[in-house]
Structures are given as C-alpha cells and as structure tokens.
Amino acid sequence: MIYRYILSILIISSIACSSIKTYTEAPADQKVSHYKTFAFVSPDESEMDQASLILYDEIRKSIVAQLREKNYQPNTENPELLIAFNIMTDEEQTAVTRSTDPYGAYGRRMWAYNPYALGWVPPQTYREIRIEKTGTMVVDLFDNQAKELIWRGIGIGPVNNPEERFETAYKMVDKIFKGFPTSTDGAVSVAN
C-alpha cells in the first residue's frame, strides 16, 4: 500500500515538472566552464512592485545556489560573468463550447430527456472561457570584459496558480541550469 502511495507521488511530481520547457542558446565556439566568478546586473527597482521585488530576490538566490553547485562563486568586485534575468507572463483566452446533449455541442438530437426537468427538453449550449497564464524566464550570462552574451537559458511554463509562483520559479531555474557546465576550478569556497 505504501509503495503505491509513493509511486503515485512520484508520477504526479514528474507530470508537474514536465510541464516546464527549457531551451539554451550559446555560440558554438563559446566555452563557459573556464569562468569562475559572477555577479548580477542590478534591475530597475523603480518599475517593480513589492511582490515582483520579492520574487526577483528569490529567483536570484536560486540562481546563486545553482551556480555555487557548479563551482562558480559570487564576486561583486571584479566578476568574470554578469547575469541578467527577466520574467514575463502571457495570458491566453480560449473559448470552449459545451452542451448538455450527450452527443456534444453539435449533437444529433433536437430534444434530450432530462429527469430533473419536465421530461424532454432541448439541449442547452453554452460557451466557457478559459484563461491560461504562461510564464517565461530568460537568464542571460555576459562576459564582463568583452561585454558579449555567452549563454542564454529560457524556461517556459504554466503559472495559473499565483500561490505556486515561487515553486514554479524554482523549478524553472533548476531546469534551466541542468545542462549548464561546471567551472573548471572547483577548489574555491566562499562563505556567504
């Protein structure tokens, strides 16, 4: 019984994680693994509300954790990499036609039997509007000396539930940095 419960949790979590799609872009001749330090480009906080600032800070912490796992270290004095990221949401509305007719919205019958009504009634057709929100996160890494974009990671996923926005953001950062290379110098450790 416990094994079925654990298996169902694993299946549900894998389905939830698989809804996020990620893409990475880098020039073919560009290598990232020789860099060791990074810093963030400061955002324009005057255009952000308090909720966006909190989400931005949490995403920044998540990116720092991912890069530290790959032996990159933060350095605000003279970083080799500069990191900038942006979050965008898009809303899509779809109209779905529904009907009380068991044959569908464009059924074959003119009348349907409804036991809760007075007997035979015409089927009702109605339209349902669904609103789906999609979030896109773009993470850019620049060479600080050359001022060139050397790597871009893009994550796209559903953000329909505002209560799960932090969890969705963490999953996006995790999936974006899955294939990011490890720094060649792994001996450095910096206390935060």
Side-chain angles (χ1 to χ4, degrees), residues 21 27 46 99 103 111 124 141 149 155 159 166 172 179 182 188 190:
K21 296 179 182 152
S46 64
S99 175
Y103 289 107
W111 295 85
Q124 302 295 315
L141 275 70
L149 178 68
V159 289
F166 290 109
M172 272 193 193
T182 302
V188 179
V190 177

Side-chain angles (χ1 to χ4, degrees), residues 91-96 98 127-132:
E91 197 172 272
E92 183 180 328
Q93 294 183 0
T94 54
V96 179
R98 303 264 186 213
R127 293 185 66 138
E128 189 176 273
I129 305 293
R130 290 186 186 164
I131 299 173
E132 295 183 10

Side-chain angles (χ1 to χ4, degrees), residues 94-129:
T94 54
V96 179
T97 304
R98 303 264 186 213
S99 175
T100 58
D101 188 357
Y103 289 107
Y106 307 102
R108 298 182 221 144
R109 300 187 294 182
M110 297 288 292
W111 295 85
Y113 183 76
N114 187 343
Y116 302 107
L118 297 175
W120 290 90
V121 294
Q124 302 295 315
T125 303
Y126 58 94
R127 293 185 66 138
E128 189 176 273
I129 305 293

Side-chain angles (χ1 to χ4, degrees), residues 23-32 141 149-153 179-181:
Y23 308 94
T24 57
E25 301 171 349
D29 60 340
Q30 185 66 40
K31 300 293 182 209
V32 182
L141 275 70
L149 178 68
I150 59 166
W151 188 84
R152 171 174 280 173
F180 193 74

Side-chain angles (χ1 to χ4, degrees), residues 55-146:
L55 182 61
Y56 180 87
D57 192 43
E58 288 298 314
I59 292 171
R60 193 167 56 84
K61 289 177 187 175
S62 183
I63 291 173
V64 168
Q66 288 290 328
L67 288 174
R68 280 191 167 187
E69 278 184 19
K70 297 180 181 298
N71 300 324
Y72 295 89
Q73 299 302 323
N75 180 354
T76 56
E77 301 293 321
N78 190 18
E80 296 173 327
L81 292 173
L82 289 177
I83 301 170
F85 65 92
N86 196 5
I87 308 162
M88 300 156 281
T89 57
D90 188 26
E91 197 172 272
E92 183 180 328
Q93 294 183 0
T94 54
V96 179
T97 304
R98 303 264 186 213
S99 175
T100 58
D101 188 357
Y103 289 107
Y106 307 102
R108 298 182 221 144
R109 300 187 294 182
M110 297 288 292
W111 295 85
Y113 183 76
N114 187 343
Y116 302 107
L118 297 175
W120 290 90
V121 294
Q124 302 295 315
T125 303
Y126 58 94
R127 293 185 66 138
E128 189 176 273
I129 305 293
R130 290 186 186 164
I131 299 173
E132 295 183 10
K133 289 186 178 181
T134 303
T136 304
M137 181 187 300
V138 179
V139 181
D140 292 330
L141 275 70
F142 297 91
D143 185 314
N144 192 18
Q145 287 186 331

